Amino acid sequence: MVKYKEDYYKLFHVHYQQYPDDVMENIYWLEQAVKADFCNPLYAPCKINSQDEWEKYRYLFMMHVNLKLIEQHLRLGRTYDKKSVNFYDAPWKDLYIENLEKTLSCYQAGLYYWQEAKLWAEKAGTKKFRFMNLQDIQYWEDERERINTGNLNYEKILNREIERVQKNIEGFKNMDESIYLP
């Protein structure tokens, strides 16, 4: 029975070939994980020995899930992304604009999850937890540290991609048939 955050997180998986349906399935499972309750600390994916470790684990889990949601939205957005505007794309400009708007919405959703991830990383990085290290989820600890030091900054990446997509949409909107026809 799938009931807890950890159960939903186990359903998240990365396929060798990432088709849009696979990505949307992962987004669904991760969003369900965000909404669900945590399991008992006995069943957590790492050893929990104290209430403080349990609290830090919960913060790290939420941060990690939000980072995975960002990655999945970036992956889904790339499916519909048109990297450049070419004159010979004029006959299909409406289709490209529609796809670029899907891309834009995916990237903008990623910004929401980035704010959430930063919030949870900040909570997990307070003085109270400074010398506490959960060994079994060291990767999550590393993600938290990279966020707090600025080495991991999805906001910068997402804003760059959003700006590029908006320019491409404008490029297609400004395109007329005379560009393509002799």
Side-chain angles (χ1 to χ4, degrees):
M1 184 165 112
V2 179
K3 185 176 179 181
Y4 299 109
K5 289 182 183 293
E6 293 81 359
D7 297 332
Y8 283 110
Y9 181 72
K10 286 178 188 174
L11 294 173
F12 161 76
H13 56 285
V14 178
H15 299 272
Y16 179 71
Q17 270 305 84
Q18 285 286 301
Y19 295 110
D21 288 344
D22 299 326
V23 176
M24 289 189 296
E25 177 189 357
N26 278 337
I27 290 171
Y28 174 79
W29 293 130
L30 291 169
E31 286 178 345
Q32 294 306 310
V34 168
K35 291 186 233 172
D37 292 328
F38 283 97
C39 69
N40 187 295
L42 289 172
Y43 305 111
C46 67
K47 187 172 179 169
I48 306 292
N49 294 316
S50 68
Q51 287 181 335
D52 287 341
E53 285 183 357
W54 176 237
E55 184 179 357
K56 184 174 184 178
Y57 161 76
R58 293 189 321 249
Y59 295 156
L60 288 173
F61 182 92
M62 292 301 293
M63 175 207 66
H64 180 70
V65 167
N66 279 289
L67 289 175
K68 291 298 169 193
L69 279 162
I70 294 167
E71 290 171 10
Q72 293 302 302
H73 277 84
L74 280 168
R75 190 167 276 148
L76 184 60
R78 270 188 248 128
T79 303
Y80 303 105
D81 202 348
K82 174 81 168 122
K83 299 289 185 191
S84 62
V85 178
N86 301 306
F87 77 94
Y88 50 80
D89 293 328
W92 305 282
K93 76 176 190 173
D94 293 334
L95 182 61
Y96 284 128
I97 290 171
E98 183 181 325
N99 284 341
L100 285 170
E101 286 171 352
K102 289 178 189 176
T103 298
L104 190 60
S105 69
C106 289
Y107 294 164
Q108 288 170 337
L111 284 174
Y112 167 78
Y113 294 115
W114 173 247
Q115 296 306 318
E116 289 292 308
K118 282 193 329 187
L119 174 74
W120 293 110
E122 184 180 320
K123 287 182 177 185
T126 59
K127 271 187 177 180
K128 179 180 179 179
F129 304 122
R130 183 160 293 151
F131 296 105
M132 183 185 302
N133 191 12
L134 301 174
Q135 293 291 328
D136 297 336
I137 52 173
Q138 183 63 46
Y139 182 69
W140 297 359
E141 293 272 7
D142 295 343
E143 287 177 334
R144 181 203 53 79
E145 184 63 23
R146 290 178 59 216
I147 290 171
N148 289 339
T149 60
N151 289 333
L152 179 59
N153 187 350
Y154 276 118
E155 185 174 16
K156 185 177 174 183
I157 295 166
L158 288 164
N159 283 331
R160 181 189 66 222
E161 292 300 308
I162 288 169
E163 185 179 323
R164 181 188 53 75
V165 169
Q166 287 171 335
K167 284 180 185 176
N168 286 351
I169 290 172
E170 284 306 309
F172 278 115
K173 285 182 178 178
N174 295 334
M175 189 179 283
D176 63 356
E177 294 298 323
S178 65
I179 292 173
Y180 183 69
L181 300 173

